[in-house]
Amino acid sequence: MSSPNEAIIGLNNEEYRFPVRQSTAGTLGIDIRQLHSQSGALTYDPGFLSTASCQSKITYVDGEKGILLYRGYPIEQLAEKSNFPEVAYLLLHGELPKADDFSTFSDVITHHTMVNEQLSAFYRGFRRDAHPMAVLCGVVGALSAFYPEAIHIHDPAQRMASCHRLLAKLPTIAAMAYKYSVGQPFVYPDNSLSYVGNFLRMTFSVPAEPYHVDPLIESALNKIFILHADHEQNASTSTVRLAGSSGANPYACIAAGIACLWGPSHGGANEATLAMLKEIGTPENIPHFIDRAKDRNDPFRLMGFGHRLYKNYDPRARVLAKTAAAILDKTGANNPIFDTARALEEIARKDSYFIERKLYPNVDFYSGLILSAIGFPTSMFTALFALARTAGWMAQWNEMITDPEQKIGRPRQIYTGVSTRDYVNIENR
């Protein structure tokens, strides 16, 4: 018999015992690090669906119950009561800041928002129609050339300086990517504004006239940033950790995360949702497209409904549903896409096909609507996702560097290619 703290794996008439790692919430883990050395076998788990690559204290997701916690705090409470810089501090340090700590943290972030003028010149190397994510990948990676001391990743002061710089500069870099794409001059940061308000101003203001930050829009974008700040060991977070495990500098690691997030299966879902709504067109076309979605032989899929992880309602969507309604009431009265979205949302809540399969509107459905209503082009959606997720990426990277059990990531494989054979000269092939 095995004890409660060990698991037995049977293989080729042999039994192997492995320790069990207990979690404070959710699934326990079987520590199989010695499996290969003891048995000669490997586990096979494409997509890492049953593999924990690390222990983490940062974010917890329970998809069955629709729970998302940052450092133990429910996402609903943080989205309603906190702000993005405070959440970034929480993710990095593990606790909500006291007033003095938050004042110091905010001051540091505020005074790191500008980028080197030589980096500004870097943008001119891109085509005007370059995707913002292509620009972010290049510019964020290039930051390592301006801060070579960041390679000292085992120096806590250098690590935190890198965290502060990335949190501060990502809004500036993203806003500059947008400005470059539309042929407008870059707008310098304004230290008198909030983190989100400053980003809105850098994105949408022009030198010829004053810009007023709308409190409703600022609040909505603040919520979107909080809700996207971290989400456990997803593809891009795992990419940041894997790149960081080699000892790479943090700017290269975040650039790698941005590249991974760019994929349509990861960060591009809200962009796909808007594309789907445009394809549907007007509310009267919805029944036809729902019938297509129900047809397994039809390639059309309804985007923005359901979630691979959440088998219940996405808690982030619950937060944004009310915000989306307020934003659309304010900005979207004459846009047929928003009318279609509202009608589709209403039908999905009542249609048995959606209810039985728990295909609730997810965070991508509402965030895409909000960002579009604010005025962001769909090409900027994933860049905004990257901006927000940088807080989580840096927290995860910092945790990994300080984890004494962490090793360089080196997945194994089950080889299925040709076995050993001899080289044949080209004339004899």
Side-chain angles (χ1 to χ4, degrees):
M1 288 184 62
S2 64
S3 73
N5 294 317
E6 68 175 2
I8 297 177
I9 296 178
L11 183 67
N12 295 330
N13 297 318
E14 297 284 345
E15 287 188 349
Y16 302 94
R17 296 173 182 265
F18 302 98
V20 171
R21 294 290 184 103
Q22 301 294 337
S23 62
T24 54
T27 309
L28 55 77
I30 302 172
D31 186 342
I32 58 167
R33 285 177 292 178
Q34 301 304 315
L35 174 65
H36 183 255
S37 63
Q38 291 185 24
S39 69
L42 299 171
T43 58
Y44 180 64
D45 185 20
F48 310 113
L49 301 182
S50 297
T51 299
S53 62
C54 64
Q55 296 184 106
S56 180
K57 297 178 180 179
I58 299 171
T59 303
Y60 172 68
V61 177
D62 187 327
E64 295 293 335
K65 297 179 180 178
I67 293 172
L68 171 59
L69 306 177
Y70 290 171
R71 299 287 192 176
Y73 292 97
I75 193 63
E76 298 90 341
Q77 293 182 21
L78 294 172
E80 293 299 327
K81 300 178 180 180
S82 187
N83 57 68
F84 181 71
E86 184 178 61
V87 169
Y89 182 101
L90 170 67
L91 292 171
L92 274 173
H93 297 284
E95 300 291 343
L96 288 170
K98 295 181 180 179
D100 289 347
D101 294 329
F102 185 61
S103 177
T104 301
F105 180 76
S106 297
D107 187 67
V108 169
I109 298 301
T110 298
H111 289 90
H112 277 87
T113 51
M114 290 185 66
V115 298
N116 191 293
E117 282 297 301
Q118 288 177 281
L119 195 68
S120 299
F122 194 69
Y123 283 78
R124 289 197 290 271
F126 294 99
R127 289 167 51 111
R128 287 283 181 185
D129 60 355
H131 196 286
M133 289 296 280
V135 177
L136 257 63
C137 281
V139 175
V140 171
L143 286 174
S144 58
F146 292 87
Y147 305 105
E149 67 275 15
I151 195 64
H152 302 298
I153 60 174
H154 297 292
D155 180 344
Q158 287 295 342
R159 284 202 310 275
M160 199 50 59
S162 296
C163 293
H164 292 159
R165 288 188 186 116
L166 280 159
L167 285 169
K169 297 183 190 305
L170 251 295
T172 309
I173 290 169
M176 291 169 69
Y178 171 74
K179 285 297 193 185
Y180 185 76
S181 71
V182 296
Q184 293 181 1
F186 297 146
V187 176
Y188 287 102
D190 183 343
N191 289 352
S192 69
L193 297 175
S194 71
Y195 186 94
V196 175
N198 189 34
F199 173 65
L200 286 168
R201 177 183 169 275
M202 288 190 291
T203 303
F204 294 120
S205 72
V206 292
E209 57 190 49
Y211 179 80
H212 172 68
V213 178
D214 187 307
L216 179 62
I217 291 175
E218 182 179 14
S219 174
L221 194 56
N222 181 68
K223 286 182 171 62
I224 287 176
F225 284 176
I226 290 173
L227 297 173
H228 287 83
D230 199 46
H231 207 233
E232 215 185 66
Q233 303 308 313
N234 51 76
S236 59
T237 299
S238 297
T239 298
V240 170
R241 279 181 171 263
L242 187 61
S245 73
S246 73
N249 75 77
Y251 303 104
C253 297
I254 298 305
I258 291 170
C260 181
L261 186 69
W262 192 0
S265 295
H266 189 7
N270 50 13
E271 188 173 345
T273 299
L274 261 291
M276 175 201 71
L277 291 171
K278 290 178 181 178
E279 182 181 359
I280 293 173
T282 56
E284 57 265 25
N285 296 329
I286 291 176
H288 168 67
F289 281 90
I290 288 182
D291 288 340
R292 288 185 61 190
K294 294 177 181 179
D295 183 354
R296 294 183 177 181
N297 297 318
D298 193 310
F300 176 78
R301 293 292 180 267
L302 282 173
M303 304 300 296
F305 292 86
H307 192 281
R308 175 180 172 181
L309 195 58
Y310 293 107
K311 308 307 178 186
N312 204 315
Y313 204 92
D314 184 341
R316 302 169 298 172
R318 202 184 306 276
V319 171
L320 284 188
K322 187 185 299 183
T323 301
I327 290 289
L328 296 186
D329 286 341
K330 182 179 180 67
T331 65
N334 298 317
N335 192 325
I337 294 297
F338 301 146
D339 294 334
T340 301
R342 282 176 154 164
L344 180 58
E345 176 189 25
E346 188 65 25
I347 291 172
R349 291 181 185 278
K350 298 176 180 179
D351 192 299
S352 60
Y353 175 84
F354 291 87
I355 296 171
E356 291 170 3
R357 291 165 176 78
K358 298 183 178 180
L359 296 177
Y360 306 108
N362 61 31
V363 69
D364 301 309
F365 181 84
Y366 293 115
S367 65
L369 292 175
I370 293 170
L371 295 175
S372 181
I374 289 173
F376 289 103
T378 53
S379 61
M380 277 293 292
F381 287 4
T382 316
L384 295 173
F385 193 161
L387 191 167
R389 185 54 59 86
T390 296
W393 286 337
M394 294 310 299
Q396 297 274 353
W397 172 81
N398 192 56
E399 182 182 63
M400 180 209 65
I401 296 298
T402 58
D403 183 352
E405 292 188 336
Q406 189 63 40
K407 299 179 181 295
I408 184 172
R410 209 300 186 183
R412 303 295 294 269
Q413 66 174 19
I414 297 175
Y415 179 68
T416 58
V418 179
S419 59
T420 304
R421 51 184 171 176
D422 293 326
Y423 179 83
V424 179
N425 291 330
I426 192 168
E427 62 272 12
N428 296 326
R429 293 175 199 165

